[in-house]
Amino acid sequence: MYFHAGLILAVIAVSFGIAKALKLSVELSMLVAAVAAAIVHSGGAIPVRHLVEGSFTYLDVCLIFITATFFMNLIKESGGVAFLVRSIVTAFHKSRALCLFFLTLLLLIPGALTGSGATTVLTVGTLVGTVLTYMGISEKRVAAIIFICAAMSAAAPPVNLWAMMAAAGSNMPYVGFFVPLLVLSLAGSLFAMFFLGGKGKKVELSEALKELPAPPEKMNWVRVGIPFVVLIFLIMAGRIWPHSIPTLGLPFMFVVASIFAIFLSPKKLEILKIATNTINTLIPLVGIMIVVGILIQIMALSGARGLISLAVVTLPMWVLFAALWLILPVSEGLLQYAVAPLLGVPLILLFNMKGMDAIIALSAMAVMWPMGDILPPTAVVGRATVMELKFKGRYYKDFLKTSLIPMGFILLIATLFLIFSNELSFLVGG
Amino acid sequence: MAILYTIISVCYYLIIAFITFVIARNLVKTKNFQEAILFSVMLMPFILRILRIK
Amino acid sequence: MTDRNLMIVKIVSTVLVGIALIISGIEFYNHRNFQEPVVIGPGVTSVKTLGDYYTRLKGTINDTNIYIIDSGVPGGTALVIGRTHPEEPAATLAAKILVENASLSKGRLIVAITANQSASRVTRPGDAYPMYYTIETPWGESKYRMGDRWSSPMDSWPDPEVYVHYPSGQLLAYMDIRNFNRTWPGRENGMITEQTNYAFMNLIRAEGVDVFIDLHEAELEYPVISTIVAHQKAADIAGLASMILTSTEFRIGMEFSPPSLHGLSHREVGDYSDAISLLFETPEPFLDRVRGITDEALLLTGKDEFVMTAGKYGLLYEKIDEKGWPIDVRVGRHCSTTLMVLELWSDFNPGKEVVVGGVPRYDEVVSNGTGFYFQDPSKAETENIYYE
Ligand SMILES: [Zn+2]
């Protein structure tokens, strides 16, 4: 059994490496690895049913972030995001601290709703970046701030894909994560914002406003606010009167909120085009979720998943505490969301066994993972950041290096959450 | 209530159908062979769900 | 890459995906529509369906068979359900043994082999379950659908943002609205799984069920294992059954149903009906996350090197060695535990006895094999064959 599972792991690693060397994308390289492992496991046959069945593993999650991203894109296209950024700058340009604080909150919203840091970069990243530049913050620091806030927005509740995937894999309710995730992601994003952007010149209001795109004239707080109010109302209604209204599900709620956004938009929105663009920009994300599902199914089939789980749960706890802050981001950079079910599930098991608070521990891990989105080979959010901001500096020596101190801070507090999970269990609630 | 459930359920199939349509259109349009392969694989769960097979 | 080559790549990959969809689509379709014959035993006096107790379920996928074994002699009524979680095969097989073998001399026994049909017709994405398993019998192989813990999304879609249990209001994971053992006591206008529990509650009240038994299996990593979980009304019987079984047949524990844990049968059936409710767990290494190769052999033998290693590190709540946990051992445990609970119930409740004969005990199932107790459908009268 050890030999067989080890062999399959080797096949996965080697075929993934070869595929990458041949310049295939991460998604296709994973697919190649999964198919190769499946064929070796089945002694030459192709277990077609397993390959297809695996593609269903994260279908629900895909639906959530497709509809959520569509919603955020509508808000952006209607001029809502530009309106919000301008309002924050106009209202708080005299107080740097308040300005930075509200810009941080704004950065957290898209990723919190969609679970994807790339969405944050694509919807609000550029505009906030422009403002930060006018606050006298250097280019590399702006890029680092946008990346870390985007990563923290992905970690922020209500939608944290790593926690959702790991919880689903261990039959654990995705309930009670709101406060711990909020505390960690707020602390991390605010630290990055103030550490990197705390000092600088005063905002030149007129100059900054000139640079920011002007929202349509009729845009106002009601028009931009109501879609969010509707969304929050639907989510709350499902919790307050769950048995007198039909089950809607998050994707449907986002669709309803989107309909409000369309009708309240001051300018006519090309819905079909926005929807197509949404799915286009999400292809890497949806693609990777589907391929990860396939890979996980083949690893479960062949015992490779079991071997990894076994290796993880038999490690001494102090090793985990000392190493997880490094292992989690690096594995995220390598495998993206695949790491949540692969490493997260056995770790939760182990934490439960050792009497730790699994919700706090998983929250801590679910905040460490997104840090890896700046690391190669995938570097999904990092790449999106430098692309969207048209960053001219060097990726590693400027961008990554500037991000290291805030990243270290976040990994440190998350590790503390892991070690003191029981002491912090009071944070767990609805 | 039962009718509402049906309507919502139908909405979900429509959402899935729309996503399938966009992915298929991308598959036809793309100039990148890697994307083409990925798109065709991505279609799998969506098509089987529309057909109510899985 | 030239346009022509790009076109070829597109066509080839689409065709390959198309072929994969056709092959797997047929497999999924066949699995969902696979019928398992059941030859009713001499004791079965009538077969109803769940829809008889809640008309909205009539004709739906969860309109499952309800087998009634009536002694004709006044006494109590027991209800045993299998396949609450269709990924736990010992529960299915033990319930089927009851239907094909039990004859009563006092009271009534009602059995549902497949409590959640929808979940029994789907396998879990990402977990690589086999689609079927076969049990050896003296007359050949008998084949069963492997199922999932949750109802099929095709019958219950979408899931809520968070599942709020009815009526307690407790928050549970969104997918647990499709988990038949998180949706008790059910909801009349709820999703299909909730409606199924509602129908079972109607059955329990309409038939005046006194003893309710829910058969399960669990992973060895899970603390609730090899045990009887009992509602406080059933505590004395469960405690005594655990003591007697442990000293005479096999080691089995007993624990109380936590009052604050809602949606589970051992809690809600006891709370919302006159019946006492009990839930039995046997070990199923197939469900462990650290398991090795996931296949039918592991499902039926319960032998796994990785799970054994986890045990050496003290990570398990039940012992496991080279012998594993074979299906006959697990089915036998369920048979004996059911018989023991009904015997004790009958001792404690004169006038409400449920006296069962014809059902093998643990050592008989282990030495003869589970398949020994199944009848050959090809030799049976058609009117005695039902399909699960
Ligand atoms: Zn169970």
Side-chain angles (χ1 to χ4, degrees):
Chain A
M1 190 85 88
Y2 282 97
F3 176 76
H4 181 84
L7 174 71
I8 297 294
L9 275 182
V11 169
I12 290 174
V14 169
S15 49
F16 183 81
I18 293 176
K20 277 303 290 174
L22 293 173
K23 299 247 165 356
L24 288 189
S25 62
V26 181
E27 298 88 5
L28 282 195
S29 304
M30 268 191 203
L31 186 65
V32 168
V35 174
I39 292 174
V40 172
H41 171 76
S42 315
I46 304 178
V48 176
R49 191 263 300 182
H50 286 295
L51 293 171
V52 177
E53 189 172 77
S55 71
F56 279 84
T57 311
Y58 303 111
L59 191 63
D60 289 337
V61 183
C62 287
L63 270 188
I64 292 175
F65 63 63
I66 289 174
T67 48
T69 311
F70 176 58
F71 171 70
M72 276 314 299
N73 277 341
L74 287 173
I75 300 287
K76 183 191 175 191
E77 293 294 326
S78 68
V81 175
F83 174 80
L84 288 174
V85 173
R86 289 177 83 98
S87 306
I88 291 174
V89 176
T90 317
F92 304 113
H93 68 278
K94 289 204 177 89
S95 159
R96 187 175 186 89
L98 280 177
C99 202
L100 291 181
F101 177 74
F102 282 101
L103 288 175
T104 310
L105 290 191
L106 185 62
L107 278 172
L108 287 182
I109 292 172
L113 293 180
T114 62
S116 138
T119 307
T120 299
V121 176
L122 296 175
T123 50
V124 302
T126 351
L127 293 180
V128 174
T130 309
V131 178
L132 294 178
T133 310
Y134 275 91
M135 292 172 82
I137 302 168
S138 70
E139 194 196 17
K140 58 183 185 185
R141 289 193 164 206
V142 170
I145 289 173
I146 300 294
F147 164 71
I148 292 190
C149 289
M152 286 299 98
S153 76
V159 179
N160 180 309
L161 294 178
W162 297 272
M164 286 172 96
M165 288 165 82
S170 41
N171 294 343
M172 168 186 186
Y174 179 64
V175 171
F177 289 88
F178 199 93
V179 179
L181 285 175
L182 188 69
V183 169
L184 283 165
S185 54
L186 259 184
S189 52
L190 286 172
F191 177 83
M193 185 64 102
F194 282 89
F195 178 77
L196 294 172
K199 290 207 184 76
K201 60 178 184 170
K202 259 186 96 176
V203 198
E204 284 303 329
L205 186 60
S206 55
E207 265 180 57
L209 288 183
K210 218 187 296 166
E211 190 71 15
L212 289 169
E217 236 168 70
K218 278 190 260 163
M219 187 41 106
N220 55 36
W221 281 104
V222 175
R223 285 177 186 271
V224 71
I226 285 186
F228 285 96
V229 173
V230 168
L231 181 67
I232 292 164
F233 172 78
L234 288 177
I235 293 175
M236 295 314 292
R239 289 173 174 238
I240 299 170
W241 309 288
H243 306 124
S244 33
I245 58 169
T247 303
L248 300 177
L250 269 177
F252 187 81
M253 294 178 187
F254 279 114
V255 170
V256 172
S258 300
I259 292 171
F260 275 86
I262 290 165
F263 280 108
L264 289 167
S265 168
K267 64 177 180 194
K268 203 164 162 354
L269 296 172
E270 293 175 81
I271 298 156
L272 203 68
K273 202 175 139 204
I274 296 173
T276 314
N277 279 342
T278 301
I279 294 177
N280 277 338
T281 51
L282 283 179
I283 296 281
L285 210 56
V286 179
I288 207 157
M289 298 293 260
I290 288 171
V291 174
V292 164
I294 297 174
L295 183 63
I296 294 282
Q297 173 120 359
I298 300 302
M299 293 180 78
L301 177 70
S302 58
R305 188 186 72 175
L307 187 58
I308 292 183
S309 305
L310 192 62
V312 169
V313 294
T314 49
L315 280 177
M317 289 305 277
W318 64 266
V319 174
L320 289 176
F321 289 147
L324 274 183
W325 64 272
L326 193 62
I327 295 172
L328 296 182
V330 169
S331 57
E332 168 76 17
L334 192 65
L335 292 172
Q336 289 282 296
Y337 292 100
V339 296
L342 259 187
L343 297 180
V345 172
L347 282 172
I348 292 172
L349 214 89
L350 180 67
F351 294 157
N352 268 325
M353 200 82 196
K354 303 280 176 189
M356 292 167 59
D357 188 308
I359 294 178
I360 298 289
L362 179 54
S363 302
M365 294 195 289
V367 171
M368 294 201 242
W369 271 312
M371 289 290 100
D373 283 334
I374 196 173
L375 300 176
T378 56
V380 175
V381 183
R383 281 190 305 180
T385 307
V386 291
M387 266 162 52
E388 277 298 299
L389 295 178
K390 303 195 174 58
F391 179 70
K392 290 180 205 70
R394 291 162 299 179
Y395 191 92
Y396 294 103
K397 288 214 161 159
D398 295 326
F399 175 46
L400 179 58
K401 204 175 151 198
T402 315
S403 308
L404 282 182
I405 290 181
M407 279 170 72
F409 171 80
I410 292 164
L411 293 171
L412 177 70
I413 52 170
T415 302
L416 291 175
F417 264 59
L418 265 184
I419 297 174
F420 299 105
S421 68
N422 281 328
E423 288 76 3
L424 292 163
S425 58
F426 64 89
L427 291 172
V428 176
Chain B
M1 201 74 159
I3 300 165
L4 280 177
Y5 275 120
T6 315
I7 295 173
I8 293 165
S9 222
V10 170
C11 283
Y12 272 85
Y13 285 97
L14 290 176
I15 297 172
I16 291 269
F18 182 73
I19 297 170
T20 312
F21 164 74
V22 177
I23 297 176
R25 216 176 66 151
N26 281 332
L27 169 61
V28 175
K29 280 188 172 175
T30 182
K31 294 266 182 261
N32 178 331
F33 82 98
Q34 297 204 22
E35 279 188 6
I37 299 171
L38 184 62
F39 289 150
S40 56
V41 171
M42 283 167 66
L43 283 173
M44 296 196 311
F46 294 100
I47 290 178
L48 286 186
R49 179 56 58 84
I50 297 174
L51 297 176
R52 283 185 54 77
I53 287 175
K54 170 106 185 149
Chain C
M1 184 170 276
T2 63
D3 281 357
R4 192 163 160 274
N5 284 353
L6 182 66
M7 203 59 194
I8 293 172
V9 169
K10 285 184 186 177
I11 291 172
V12 169
S13 67
T14 313
V15 168
L16 285 179
V17 164
I19 293 172
L21 286 185
I22 292 169
I23 295 173
S24 60
I26 292 171
E27 284 194 53
F28 293 136
Y29 181 87
N30 288 342
H31 179 255
R32 184 163 159 100
N33 292 286
F34 184 79
Q35 299 285 45
E36 301 164 358
V38 174
V39 182
I40 54 170
V44 175
T45 43
S46 68
V47 180
K48 294 185 173 183
T49 73
L50 195 55
D52 296 335
Y53 300 93
Y54 180 41
T55 45
R56 233 174 101 184
L57 272 189
K58 204 76 193 163
T60 67
I61 192 160
N62 271 8
D63 190 13
T64 194
N65 289 333
I66 304 293
Y67 302 90
I68 299 175
I69 305 163
D70 193 342
S71 65
V73 180
T77 300
L79 169 62
V80 178
I81 63 171
R83 240 179 200 163
T84 284
H85 293 146
E87 59 175 1
E88 300 160 8
T92 315
L93 298 170
K96 193 181 174 205
I97 285 186
L98 294 178
V99 171
E100 295 206 353
N101 297 276
S103 56
L104 270 73
S105 50
K106 249 183 192 176
R108 289 192 307 164
L109 175 65
I110 305 175
V111 182
I113 296 176
T114 309
N116 190 353
Q117 284 279 349
S118 173
S120 79
R121 295 173 186 278
V122 67
T123 49
R124 190 185 310 175
D127 262 87
Y129 288 178
M131 289 183 123
Y132 306 95
Y133 53 93
T134 47
I135 299 294
E136 301 290 337
T137 73
W139 42 266
E141 284 184 336
S142 169
K143 186 174 168 185
Y144 300 86
R145 295 186 304 276
M146 176 62 175
D148 195 3
R149 188 176 171 86
W150 294 284
S151 305
S152 168
M154 274 193 285
D155 304 310
S156 182
W157 201 33
D159 291 338
E161 181 253 338
V162 60
Y163 162 43
V164 185
H165 172 255
Y166 179 84
S168 75
Q170 186 170 80
L171 298 183
L172 293 159
Y174 62 91
M175 69 278 194
D176 274 342
I177 200 164
R178 290 184 278 120
N179 180 343
F180 184 78
N181 201 30
R182 293 296 180 278
T183 42
W184 293 99
R187 186 157 70 97
E188 190 174 2
N189 287 314
M191 304 294 278
I192 189 153
T193 318
E194 295 176 291
Q195 288 183 27
T196 309
N197 297 91
Y198 177 81
F200 268 104
M201 287 307 298
N202 282 354
L203 183 162
I204 288 165
R205 292 188 202 102
E207 301 290 352
V209 171
D210 302 297
V211 184
F212 170 87
I213 293 171
D214 188 2
L215 304 177
H216 283 259
E217 299 202 77
E219 56 268 47
L220 281 61
E221 291 155 350
Y222 189 60
V224 183
I225 192 165
S226 300
T227 190
I228 304 172
V229 188
H231 190 272
Q232 63 270 20
K233 289 194 283 188
D236 44 356
I237 288 178
L240 207 52
S242 139
M243 274 168 56
I244 299 174
L245 286 170
T246 301
S247 62
T248 58
E249 298 186 64
F250 47 82
R251 200 175 53 78
I252 188 166
M254 179 269 169
E255 46 200 280
F256 286 97
S257 163
S260 58
L261 204 56
H262 288 286
L264 292 108
S265 65
H266 48 72
R267 167 58 33 211
E268 311 292 354
V269 173
D271 280 0
Y272 286 92
S273 76
D274 296 329
I276 62 166
S277 52
L278 305 99
L279 184 152
F280 307 162
E281 295 278 9
T282 64
E284 184 188 357
F286 179 89
L287 293 179
D288 276 284
R289 291 291 305 195
V290 297
R291 68 173 181 263
I293 297 171
T294 305
D295 60 5
E296 188 186 342
L298 172 56
L299 185 63
L300 296 180
T301 64
K303 287 181 193 169
D304 191 286
E305 223 181 308
F306 292 176
V307 179
M308 273 170 60
T309 307
K312 290 194 187 110
Y313 278 87
L315 295 167
L316 304 179
Y317 293 91
E318 175 56 278
K319 280 184 279 197
I320 181 167
D321 54 24
E322 290 77 12
K323 289 193 283 264
W325 281 97
I327 189 75
D328 297 333
V329 169
R330 288 137 61 188
V331 172
R333 289 176 68 103
H334 274 334
C335 289
S336 267
T337 314
T338 305
L339 291 174
M340 179 57 66
V341 162
L342 292 180
E343 280 161 27
L344 291 170
W345 163 265
S346 302
D347 289 349
F348 286 158
N349 296 276
K352 291 219 157 208
E353 296 97 332
V354 180
V355 182
V356 182
V359 176
R361 295 198 84 94
Y362 174 73
D363 50 0
E364 295 170 278
V365 180
V366 171
S367 57
N368 297 326
T370 304
F372 182 80
Y373 298 95
F374 293 149
Q375 302 180 49
D376 184 355
S378 67
K379 298 230 171 66
E381 302 284 339
T382 17
E383 71 262 23
N384 287 338
I385 301 181
Y386 287 80
Y387 291 93
E388 285 296 319

